[in-house]
Each structure stands twice: as C-alpha cells, then as structure tokens.
Amino acid sequence: MTNSPLLRQARALAVRFQKFLLVGAGGLAINVGGLAALTEWGHVQYVLAGLIAIELSLFFTFALNERWTWRDRRSGSIWARGGKYQAVNGVGMGLNLLVLFLLTQYAGLHYMLSNLAGAGLSALWNFSANHLLTWGVRRQPAAKEATG
C-alpha cells in the first residue's frame, strides 16, 4: 500500500507544490520589492504599483516554473504556455489586487499586509490552475526505434 500509484501521485504533486512555493518566494520578493519601491520611492498609487509589481514577478516565475517546476510537462509552444500562464495568473492577479484593495481600504490593514494576504490566496489558485491548464499535458517521450 505504501507504493500505491495514488500515493506516488500525491508525493509527486507535493514535491511539485514545494518547487512552486520556492519559485513563488522569489516572485513574492520581486512583487513586494517592486510594490514598495514603486509606492514609496516612485510615488505610484498602490494598486497600480501592485499591478506592475505582480506583472514583473510573473515573468520571473514563468521562466523558473517552465524550467524547473513543470519541466516534465511541457508540450506545445512556449508562447502558448506563456499565454496560458498569463491568463491563469491574470485571474490570480485580480484576486490579489481585490484583496489588496479591500483589506487596505475597508479593513484598514497596511497595504503590504493586504498584499501578502492576496498573494497567498492567488498562489493557491495559480498552482491549481497552472497544473491543470498551462502544464496539464505530459510531454510524451520519443518512441524508441525498433532495432532489427
């Protein structure tokens, strides 16, 4: 039972999620750093700064997720996967910005705390949707030629 296919799949998914979280930590650093820099030094309104910071982090996270987290599930063109990634994460960005705005504007939280809450919610969405949609098809190994 310890070597059941379901348990192996669960372990593989857990490892993939850990990779996603590590990549996401780098993306979050870019997001938070960009948000702080644009808001505090650039005097950009915090929601617009959040949008720009999230987009910057998406370029970073796509590249690393493509090369590491889901490297075994790449199929089709990188441009198609990039487009799917942008679409999926666009929904995540909307969730993040909504939480950022609502918690800052109506709950009185500091914008950085609101952003972290939004990032957490969007991370769950982004992993699930990207696993199923962006990298949902396993790359088929090349067929071995018959030797004769």
Side-chain angles (χ1 to χ4, degrees):
M1 184 74 175
T2 60
N3 251 351
S4 73
L6 186 59
L7 187 57
R8 281 194 306 270
Q9 287 177 343
R11 284 185 187 142
L13 189 61
V15 168
R16 194 177 307 274
F17 187 62
Q18 291 170 351
K19 289 178 177 181
F20 176 81
L21 290 176
L22 285 172
V23 169
L28 183 61
I30 291 169
N31 177 327
V32 170
L35 177 61
L38 290 166
T39 302
E40 300 298 327
W41 299 328
H43 307 289
V44 177
Q45 196 272 342
Y46 72 90
V47 175
L48 178 59
L51 174 73
I52 295 166
I54 292 167
E55 193 60 39
L56 288 172
S57 72
L58 287 180
F59 287 109
F60 171 82
T61 58
F62 175 74
L64 286 181
N65 281 320
E66 173 75 7
R67 297 292 297 157
W68 187 43
T69 309
W70 281 286
R71 74 172 178 249
D72 61 321
R73 291 172 61 117
R74 295 182 293 192
S75 64
S77 113
I78 191 170
W79 297 105
R81 287 189 305 279
K84 289 178 188 176
Y85 190 78
Q86 281 290 326
V88 164
N89 288 289
V91 173
M93 182 188 311
L95 290 171
N96 193 332
L97 291 172
L98 180 63
V99 170
L100 170 63
F101 174 73
L102 291 175
L103 292 181
T104 303
Q105 201 67 26
Y106 297 108
L109 288 181
H110 189 274
Y111 70 90
M112 290 300 247
L113 289 176
S114 301
N115 188 59
L116 289 174
L121 178 63
S122 67
L124 294 174
W125 159 261
N126 289 343
F127 177 79
S128 301
N130 277 308
H131 185 71
L132 294 172
L133 302 173
T134 306
W135 289 284
V137 178
R138 288 186 191 267
R139 181 174 49 186
Q140 298 299 319
K144 293 183 179 181
E145 292 183 25
T147 57

